[in-house]
Amino acid sequence: MKKYLLSIFTMIVPIITFAQDSTAEKFDAVFKKYTGWFVEGIFAEIPFTDDIQIPWVLFVLVGGALFFTIYFKFINITGFKTAVKVVQGKYEDIEKHGVDKLYGDQTPGGNVFETIKDDGVDGEVSHFQALTAALSATVGLGNIAGVAVALSIGGPGATFWMIVAGLLGMASKFAECTLGVKYRDVGEDGTVYGGPMYYLSKGLKEKGAGGVGKVLAAIFAIFVIGGSFGGGNMFQANQAAAQFTKLFGLTGDNAGMYFGIVMAALVAVVIIGGIKRIASVTEKVVPFMAGIYVLAALIILFANFTLIDDAFALIFEGAFSGLGIAGGLIGVMIQGVRRGAFSNEAGVGSAAIAHSAVRTKYPASEGIVALLEPFVDTVVICTMTALVIIITNFGGDSSAISGTFMQYGVEVKEGVEITATAFDTVIPHFSIVLTIAVILFAFSTMISWSYYGMQGWAYLFGKGKITDLIYKILFLFFVVVGASISLGAVIDFSDAMIFAMVVPNIIGVVMLSPLIRKELKKYMNAINKKEDALEDGATDLVDEM
């Protein structure tokens, strides 16, 4: 394997060196010519007024989230406490063996439930590992840079609608991740293959729409592969390389390429091991980097605790008035909802791929765990970033739209720099730590998206070591490409592919919603049965059978 990787990198160097010349600009122009129609189509905006235009894909994302929230009786709120318990392992016994085996009744003349053969449980990772693997793909540059951009356009009020989008997105994540576990495939070696490709094809077939399901699944697989190479790979590598070279003052045309080669080597070490190794890395990296970031935000908020109420006042005032921002109330709402929805990827279907690898007999158990993802990503981390920027940007007048380092209503291009400036005002030189965080966020996002793309690849081209290796080689190649050249139209196309995943996914999940509700009822009944049995004095079986 090491010999193969060395050969790959040897071939990549001259290719990338050539691409860094003006040829890259020519390629970008040609690429835009032939793919521009797709990008424009996915991100096409529906004009409501001269100032207000809303991307149609946003309607699909938010509309789906609203439907799931109502249909599942506000599972994003009622299921929160249960989700925390599941992640803590409170119900691990019934998820492994089944509630009837552990807490069922012994009937005379029948099998004693303790002696019934244990068929085991499919899956490769724990609930916590699946959650962190999925979070590592969403928690990243959007939380650091994207929030700053949203505030610069929509003002403080965008934060409120960002939170709303996060709360609604919890229901979407619950729905799609329940299906991910329900319809996953498990290979003879225990490897799990799951995600929208499988629940679209298998689930819709059960409803008599097999032909439609196959088409939607194939379309989704194509989009997820393209998205993994672009937004989940090249964009991450490009931004990480830019921050790294800027921090250390590295210059020269090849600086990005060398950084990309090192990053590709590190990514290779992780992704070669599959989802188990990816999960083992993300369960350490994600809590660590998110913890450092949140801790720094809390330090700033504590140091300025007298301004927190002013910040929330500005958020609520701006959320319903617009505070002079272009587009007014609707403009602020669009920016907040767009950032929230795009940040947590609820409804995109990508997270269902990571969550499908969990060890459980009850699909809804992982759906409930998944609803924590938008809460952590958007409601917690994005909101903290927004509060830090708003508070440190007050200057001498907490009610002013113009601030000390950013004027609301004037779009910024470098969101990371704005966030770094905000943190530096209280924690000197924290921008260095933030740069490291950007690199770690980019790294974790890449390894998770490599798994997403590989699942789509396996669905289209077959499952096996050779097909897996081909995909991984291509993915590592694009890491170096992304770090080395200006992406331009390439990343626009890649981002469009990620959000194009929304269409086949939402269609399928809405159609399969009745089945999701049955799975939820089944799991909640199992929890209630366990708790009733424990209250009656029943004793758990030993977990290792």
Side-chain angles (χ1 to χ4, degrees):
M1 184 60 67
K2 293 180 179 178
K3 182 175 71 174
Y4 288 131
L5 291 176
L6 181 61
S7 299
I8 293 168
F9 291 136
T10 302
M11 291 186 292
I12 284 176
V13 172
I15 294 175
I16 302 302
T17 301
F18 175 76
Q20 286 179 313
D21 297 330
S22 59
T23 305
E25 297 179 2
K26 295 179 181 178
F27 173 77
D28 187 72
V30 173
F31 192 85
K32 184 175 182 179
K33 178 181 179 181
Y34 289 101
T35 64
W37 63 270
F38 180 75
V39 177
E40 292 174 2
I42 295 299
F43 292 115
E45 297 180 332
I46 301 174
F48 286 86
T49 68
D50 292 337
D51 297 324
I52 301 174
Q53 297 180 335
I54 305 176
W56 68 268
V57 72
L58 200 61
F59 278 108
V60 180
L61 276 171
V62 178
L66 278 170
F67 171 80
F68 300 133
T69 296
I70 297 171
Y71 188 81
F72 298 115
K73 299 179 180 179
F74 294 89
I75 186 67
N76 36 12
I77 299 174
T78 59
F80 190 89
K81 185 177 179 180
T82 302
V84 174
K85 290 182 178 180
V86 176
V87 173
Q88 292 174 335
K90 299 290 186 181
Y91 308 118
E92 187 175 354
D93 56 345
I94 63 174
E95 290 163 9
K96 182 176 182 181
H97 303 294
V99 69
D100 291 330
K101 180 175 181 182
L102 292 177
Y103 302 101
D105 295 328
Q106 300 181 38
T107 55
N111 288 326
V112 177
F113 65 83
E114 286 91 342
T115 65
I116 298 174
K117 181 179 181 294
D118 181 28
D119 295 322
V121 59
D122 294 326
E124 300 183 83
V125 298
S126 68
H127 285 298
F128 182 72
Q129 288 176 321
L131 178 64
T132 55
L135 270 173
S136 66
T138 58
V139 176
L141 292 172
N143 305 80
I144 298 175
V147 173
V149 174
L151 289 178
S152 72
I153 303 173
T159 307
F160 176 85
W161 298 108
M162 198 183 305
I163 295 172
V164 170
L167 293 173
L168 291 176
M170 293 167 70
S172 298
K173 279 289 174 76
F174 159 76
E176 60 193 14
C177 291
T178 297
L179 291 175
V181 178
K182 173 69 176 176
Y183 289 106
R184 63 188 176 185
D185 278 353
V186 182
E188 294 181 359
D189 61 350
T191 301
V192 173
Y193 299 90
M197 300 83 66
Y198 296 91
Y199 61 70
L200 288 172
S201 58
K202 296 163 70 174
L204 293 181
K205 183 179 180 180
E206 290 182 1
K207 295 183 70 67
V212 174
K214 285 185 178 181
V215 172
L216 292 177
I219 292 173
F220 183 92
I222 293 171
F223 289 157
V224 77
I225 293 171
S228 73
F229 288 151
N233 181 344
M234 289 195 290
F235 174 72
Q236 305 297 325
N238 184 271
Q239 294 298 296
Q243 288 298 118
F244 182 83
T245 54
K246 181 178 180 180
L247 176 64
F248 293 100
L250 301 178
T251 57
D253 294 336
N254 294 326
M257 179 184 68
Y258 294 139
F259 176 87
I261 291 175
V262 174
M263 181 68 86
L266 294 174
V267 170
V269 171
V270 178
I271 69 174
I272 294 299
I275 186 60
K276 289 184 178 179
R277 187 175 295 176
I278 291 173
S280 67
V281 172
T282 57
E283 74 172 340
K284 299 178 181 66
V285 174
V286 172
F288 171 75
M289 64 188 184
I292 293 294
Y293 188 76
V294 169
L295 178 61
L298 288 174
I299 291 173
I300 293 175
L301 295 178
F302 180 77
N304 296 276
F305 71 93
T306 58
L307 295 176
I308 293 179
D309 57 342
D310 291 330
F312 276 111
L314 203 58
I315 288 172
F316 284 109
E317 184 183 356
F320 298 101
S321 69
L323 286 178
I325 301 299
L329 169 61
I330 301 299
V332 173
M333 187 185 300
I334 292 172
Q335 288 305 317
V337 172
R338 180 174 184 171
R339 174 47 48 199
F342 285 8
S343 174
N344 58 53
E345 296 177 10
V348 173
S350 53
I353 299 175
H355 285 284
S356 65
V358 75
R359 290 187 295 268
T360 184
K361 285 180 177 289
Y362 296 93
S365 68
E366 190 57 22
I368 288 177
V369 168
L371 65 81
L372 293 174
E373 191 181 324
F375 181 82
V376 174
D377 174 88
T378 307
V379 179
V380 176
I381 299 181
C382 283
T383 301
M384 283 193 163
T385 301
L387 283 173
V388 168
I389 294 174
I390 293 169
I391 287 175
T392 55
N393 194 45
F394 272 152
D397 184 358
S398 62
S399 65
I401 289 299
S402 59
T404 58
F405 54 83
M406 180 177 73
Q407 181 177 349
Y408 300 123
V410 180
E411 182 178 2
V412 299
K413 299 298 183 182
E414 298 294 335
V416 174
E417 292 184 3
I418 292 296
T419 304
T421 300
F423 276 84
D424 279 344
T425 58
V426 177
I427 307 175
H429 307 299
F430 185 78
S431 54
I432 298 175
V433 178
L434 196 63
T435 298
I436 297 173
V438 167
I439 295 173
L440 286 175
F441 277 135
F443 175 74
S444 65
T445 299
M446 283 190 284
I447 61 178
S448 290
W449 266 96
S450 72
Y451 181 67
Y452 296 168
M454 190 178 69
Q455 292 288 302
W457 186 273
Y459 181 82
L460 290 178
F461 302 109
K463 304 163 186 174
K465 293 183 178 180
I466 300 300
T467 53
D468 284 359
L469 182 61
I470 292 173
Y471 172 81
K472 290 171 181 176
I473 290 173
L474 287 172
F475 190 85
L476 296 174
F477 171 76
F478 283 115
V479 172
V480 184
V481 171
S484 305
I485 66 173
S486 177
L487 300 180
V490 177
I491 195 58
D492 290 339
F493 178 72
S494 302
D495 280 347
M497 296 197 83
I498 289 178
F499 294 110
M501 292 158 57
V502 169
V503 180
N505 183 57
I506 291 294
I507 292 174
V509 178
V510 169
M511 292 179 68
L512 296 170
S513 291
L515 186 143
I516 300 170
R517 188 158 57 183
K518 290 181 181 179
E519 289 295 337
L520 175 61
K521 183 177 180 180
K522 180 180 177 181
Y523 183 56
M524 296 310 296
N525 286 341
I527 290 176
N528 293 333
K529 191 170 185 178
K530 171 183 176 175
E531 293 178 345
D532 290 343
L534 291 178
E535 287 180 3
D536 293 337
T539 304
D540 290 356
L541 292 180
V542 178
D543 201 32
E544 297 296 331
M545 299 183 66

